[in-house]
Amino acid sequence: MADPFEVRMRFTSQLQHLNASTTSATKAANYALKHSEFSDDLHSCILEQLERNNMNNRANIMYFLPALCDLAKGQNELGYVRMMERDILRIVDLVAPDDGSGAANVRVVRKVLTALEGKGFLQKQTVVELEDWIAGRDVAAQSSPGHPTGATSAVEPPGSVKKATPQSSVRDPVYNPGIRLDKRQIEQRIEEDRERHKRAREGIWAISQKGGTGALVDDAELERMGEEGSEVDEDDYMIAREAQEERRKCLEFEGTSYCEHLCATLSILLWAPGHDPEAGQT
């Protein structure tokens, strides 16, 4: 049996070195599932790293959660999924806190929540409530330092009813004028966002196929083309007939032009200097 302390330290190191590549996330997820007997302890490592790391690391850990849940579901190790569901409120608050330090991570949180909902790991109502809860946090950091209440007004519009949650009922959004982003972290975040965007574009046309034994049962790409295409009506037939008529005229014109060009070339050759036209007659 592996040493619990060593397992915890190795997993913590992997969380700290997560980046935009799928390799790092898959490696950490496989390690967590390999030592699933320490799932409670490893899940606490995730929460601790969300508390201690900077904005970029918190975003990478947030992106890591869907990969972990996918592998856990595939291996029927649902302990990680249940703990993620249990602590999702705390996770969201750590990744995008309401003090303005996580304003750049709000969009990350929304994307991951949508992905978790699409995969069936979170209920739609839970995602809607969480998105309402973090509304305005992406602009909290833009409040004026001279008006610390600006962050509160950005989160809670006038006349709105504040939702009661375990976190929001304890504290209100507070502007933190001491938040400064390191230049290296900004450049790193730009590169990681560019890498994720590139990977998203690579798989934008990917369509999962359902295959049978030795043959393709359904052509998913053809089915999607049929669903996205509009129904054919009389206007489409009229446009097709007009296009056919224009094509026929073009072919006739090209054929006539070719014949005229051929006749002109022959006449030039026949009446060229030194050529006897009657010599070629039969």
Side-chain angles (χ1 to χ4, degrees), residues 82-109:
R82 296 191 185 98
M83 286 184 287
M84 182 275 298
E85 294 175 344
R86 181 194 65 196
D87 297 331
I88 188 62
L89 183 67
R90 183 181 176 187
I91 292 172
V92 170
D93 193 49
L94 290 173
V95 176
D98 53 10
D99 60 358
S101 62
N105 285 344
V106 173
R107 187 164 65 171
V108 174
V109 171

Side-chain angles (χ1 to χ4, degrees), residues 236-250:
D236 295 321
Y237 287 114
M238 183 178 63
I239 294 174
R241 287 192 294 266
E242 292 177 354
Q244 183 181 12
E245 182 65 19
E246 291 179 359
R247 178 61 178 166
R248 185 184 63 80
K249 292 180 179 179
C250 291

